[in-house]
């Protein structure tokens, strides 16, 4: 099973639809940078509580070289920056999970393997952890996660639904 470094949006939106445990079932190790932990737990909501409830399988990791942050911060949030720095510092991480398009492009440019929350759902279906992706995408949309019609249809087709 791969090791992953996860940004805040996937944690929040998977938590909001009651599917945060998919990360535990799909990946051997889940690491979040300190900036991501701080962002998720800034509001004491359900996502924060779920992160606090799973300390045994969600590891908070600190980046080694804080000076690297300056290179990325013009375009990206602190959590996204730390995800990428942590992935570069830890070559054992197999994948980063980001949802922001600019962050994904930057991560790919850096040679990192990237997926997003919808990729997690597709993998969960492939592994028979969920029956359908479409209802979960509709729940994500109902919870304020923006999915274009083209992406919705692409993911739905990839899921065979």
């Amino acid at each position: 099973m791969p090791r992953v470094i996860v940004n805040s949006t996937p944690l929040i939106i998977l938590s909001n639809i009651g599917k945060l445990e998919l990360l535990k079932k799909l990946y051997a190790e889940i690491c979040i940078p300190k900036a991501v932990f701080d962002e998720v737990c800034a509001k004491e909501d359900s996502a924060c509580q779920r992160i606090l409830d799973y300390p045994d399988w969600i590891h908070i990791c600190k980046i080694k070289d804080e000076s690297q942050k300056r290179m990325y911060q013009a375009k990206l949030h602190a959590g996204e920056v730390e995800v990428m720095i942590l992935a570069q510092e830890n070559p054992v991480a197999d994948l980063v999970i980001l949802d922001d398009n600019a962050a994904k492009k930057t991560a790919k440019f850096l040679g990192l393997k990237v997926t997003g929350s919808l990729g997690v759902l597709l993998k969960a279906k492939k592994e028979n952890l969920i029956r359908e992706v479409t209802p979960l995408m509709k729940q994500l949309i109902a919870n304020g996660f923006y999915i274009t019609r083209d992406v919705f249809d692409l993911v739905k087709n990839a899921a065979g639904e």
Side-chain angles (χ1 to χ4, degrees):
M1 289 170 90
R3 296 180 179 116
V4 296
I5 301 172
V6 184
N7 192 32
S8 57
T9 301
L11 295 172
I12 293 166
I13 66 171
L14 290 173
S15 178
N16 286 346
I17 63 168
K19 296 297 180 188
L20 185 62
E21 78 284 348
L22 289 176
L23 292 174
K24 181 179 181 181
K25 293 176 181 177
L26 291 170
Y27 304 107
E29 183 179 335
I30 294 91
C31 181
I32 63 172
K34 177 78 167 74
V36 168
F37 176 82
D38 292 344
E39 186 178 335
V40 172
C41 292
K43 293 188 289 183
E44 293 183 17
D45 59 7
S46 63
C48 172
Q49 193 56 52
R50 286 190 181 103
I51 295 301
L52 295 175
D53 287 345
Y54 296 117
D56 61 325
W57 60 271
I58 296 177
H59 305 283
I60 301 165
C61 305
K62 186 165 176 21
I63 62 172
K64 295 172 189 158
D65 186 1
E66 294 279 333
S67 68
Q68 288 190 43
K69 287 182 178 183
R70 288 177 283 157
M71 285 194 301
Y72 303 99
Q73 284 183 317
K75 292 172 38 177
L76 305 172
H77 297 291
E80 295 162 342
V81 169
E82 288 195 16
V83 163
M84 285 179 247
I85 293 170
L86 197 56
Q88 290 178 308
E89 291 178 346
N90 288 301
V92 296
D94 300 302
L95 182 69
V96 295
I97 303 175
L98 299 159
D99 282 319
D100 178 78
N101 284 332
K104 283 182 179 179
K105 285 178 185 177
T106 303
K108 287 177 184 176
F109 175 78
L110 294 171
L112 302 173
K113 187 173 177 191
V114 182
T115 193
S117 298
L118 299 178
V120 170
L121 294 179
L122 283 170
K123 182 174 175 67
K125 181 172 182 183
K126 183 179 177 184
E127 301 282 329
N128 295 315
L129 297 173
I130 58 174
R131 292 181 62 194
E132 293 180 291
V133 173
T134 303
L136 296 176
M137 287 195 298
K138 289 178 180 178
Q139 286 180 26
L140 290 173
I141 292 167
N143 279 283
F145 185 67
Y146 179 71
I147 304 172
T148 67
R149 174 44 85 188
D150 288 344
V151 170
F152 186 95
D153 291 342
L154 183 70
V155 172
K156 184 177 174 179
N157 290 335
E161 299 172 12

